[in-house]
Amino acid sequence: MRKHVSAPLPIARTVADLRSAIAAERNNSRTTGLIPTMGALHEGHLSLVRAAKQRCGFVVATLFVNPKQFAPHEDFDRYPRNEAGDADLLASAGCDLLYAPGRSVMYPDGFATSVLVSNVSTMLEGQMRPHFFGGVATVVTKLLLQALPDAAFFGEKDYQQLLVIRQLTRDLDIPVEIVGCPTVRERDGLALSSRNAYLSAAERRVASRLNVVLHDAIKALRAGAPVDAVEGEASRHLAAAGFTSVDYVAVRNAATLQPVASLAEPARILAAAWLGKTRLIDNMAV
Ligand code: AMP
C-alpha cells in the first residue's frame, strides 16, 4: 500500500506574502485561524492545528523563535530548530500555510516598541522571568496584526501566557477570538514541551512526577486542606522526587491569578520546577 505523503506546505516569509495569502482566502469567504509557535513541534502544537481546522477554513501556523522572550542567560541559542520537519508535521495535521519570518522581518533595524501587560503578567512566570511576557506580548501582538486572523489558538499548557494574550487583545481592541486548547500529555502525564528534548533519561523519569504532584495537591485541596499547606507540601514532594529546585507551586484564581481565599472561586494550580538546566511548567484546573 502506498503511504500517504502530504504535499509540501507553502511558506510565507514576509508580511506582504502572509497578507496576500489570507486576503485570497477571505475573498473566498474562508475564515483564518492562526497558531503562533516557536517550532520544534509536537502533538501539543498539532492539537492546536486540528482545533483551528475544525473552526476555520484556512489555518496558518507561525514559526519564529522570538529572541525578545529569552533573557541573555536563557536557552535561545540551543532552542531546538527544525523548520523542514515542522513543515511536514504541520502539513500532515491539515495546516494550510506556514509563516516563518526572519528576524529582520519581525524586528527590523530601529524597532523600538514593546507591549507590556500589567497585573496578570507580573506574578509567577513574570516574577521568575521578568523579560518574558514583554517579549511574548510584543511578538503575539505583531503576529495578530500581521495576519488579522478570525481566531488564534493557544495551549493551556502556558496558562498564564493565555491570560496575558486574552488581556492584550481586549485592551488593544484587536479583533480576534482567542481560543484556549487543553494540554496534551505523554501517557505518564508529562505535558508535551519542546524543552522535554533537553531531559536526560533519568531526568525524564523524574519529570512525570510534576503532574502527579499537582494531581495529589488537587485531591488534598478538594478534601479541605488549606491552600498554603498544600502549596508547601507539593513543593517538598517535587524536591523529594528529584527536582533540582522549585520556582513555585501556586493555587490561584483561574481568571486573575491572584491568590485564592477559598475554593468557592474557580482556581488553577500552577507550578514551575527545574531538572538540572531544564525548566518545566505545568498547570491544572482545581
Ligand atoms: P511554543 O512553541 O512552546 O511557544 O508553543 C506554541 C503554542 O503551543 C502555545 O500556545 C503553547 O501553549 C502550545 N503548546 C505547547 N505545548 C503544548 C501542549 N503540551 N499541549 C497543548 N498546547 C501546547
Side-chain angles (χ1 to χ4, degrees):
M1 207 169 67
R2 262 183 66 188
K3 198 169 155 238
H4 173 77
V5 179
S6 339
L9 189 64
I11 301 182
R13 304 268 177 205
T14 65
V15 180
D17 285 351
L18 172 71
R19 286 190 173 149
S20 77
I22 292 174
E25 298 298 326
R26 192 158 287 135
N27 287 339
N28 289 326
S29 306
R30 296 224 277 176
T31 55
T32 298
L34 191 78
I35 300 137
T37 84
M38 296 207 301
L41 301 184
H42 50 63
E43 264 307 307
H45 300 108
L46 301 185
S47 74
L48 304 182
V49 174
R50 294 189 193 103
K53 203 71 197 164
Q54 290 202 334
R55 298 169 70 125
C56 301
F58 188 58
V59 173
V60 181
T62 79
L63 193 180
F64 181 63
V65 185
N66 175 30
K68 285 194 188 294
Q69 69 189 69
F70 292 78
H73 63 274
E74 291 183 341
D75 56 344
F76 177 74
D77 288 332
R78 69 176 186 132
Y79 198 84
R81 289 165 172 86
N82 177 10
E83 183 184 293
D86 288 345
D88 288 347
L89 285 175
L90 288 167
S92 69
C95 181
D96 299 298
L97 177 70
L98 173 61
Y99 174 50
R103 191 170 175 149
S104 62
V105 168
M106 293 305 280
Y107 303 123
D109 283 348
F111 186 89
T113 301
S114 303
V115 178
L116 292 178
V117 177
S118 49
N119 296 336
V120 76
S121 74
T122 53
M123 67 283 275
L124 305 175
E125 288 301 289
Q127 202 170 348
M128 296 295 154
R129 305 178 68 196
H131 55 281
F132 175 66
F133 284 125
V136 168
T138 302
V139 81
V140 171
T141 300
K142 277 185 69 92
L143 292 169
L144 292 176
L145 294 178
Q146 289 172 344
L148 288 175
D150 298 276
F153 297 78
F154 295 88
E156 290 181 349
K157 155 83 180 10
D158 300 281
Y159 188 79
Q160 188 174 7
Q161 170 173 288
L162 174 61
L163 296 185
V164 168
I165 289 161
R166 284 193 199 286
Q167 181 81 47
L168 80 85
T169 55
R170 268 200 307 275
D171 291 350
L172 299 179
D173 302 309
I174 301 177
V176 59
E177 183 191 357
I178 300 300
V179 182
C181 301
T183 302
V184 177
R185 298 176 181 283
E186 303 279 7
R187 289 168 75 99
D188 65 1
L190 176 65
L192 298 191
S193 163
S194 308
R195 290 190 168 98
N196 292 350
Y198 299 153
L199 299 171
S200 68
E203 289 169 340
R204 173 63 188 82
R205 281 191 289 278
V206 177
S208 64
R209 298 300 299 170
L210 179 54
N211 191 244
V212 174
V213 167
L214 294 187
H215 265 293
D216 291 347
I218 291 171
K219 265 191 227 152
L221 288 166
R222 289 190 182 152
V227 167
D228 52 352
V230 170
E231 290 171 344
E233 187 75 350
S235 289
R236 281 189 291 280
H237 281 150
L238 289 175
F243 279 86
T244 320
S245 68
V246 178
D247 279 352
Y248 59 82
V249 178
V251 181
R252 296 294 174 95
N253 180 291
T256 64
L257 297 185
Q258 293 296 324
V260 288
S262 81
L263 291 190
E265 45 190 316
R268 199 98 192 166
I269 185 163
L270 307 101
W274 290 85
L275 271 172
K277 288 186 177 157
T278 307
R279 187 169 183 274
L280 301 181
I281 58 172
D282 199 357
N283 72 88
M284 296 175 77
V286 178

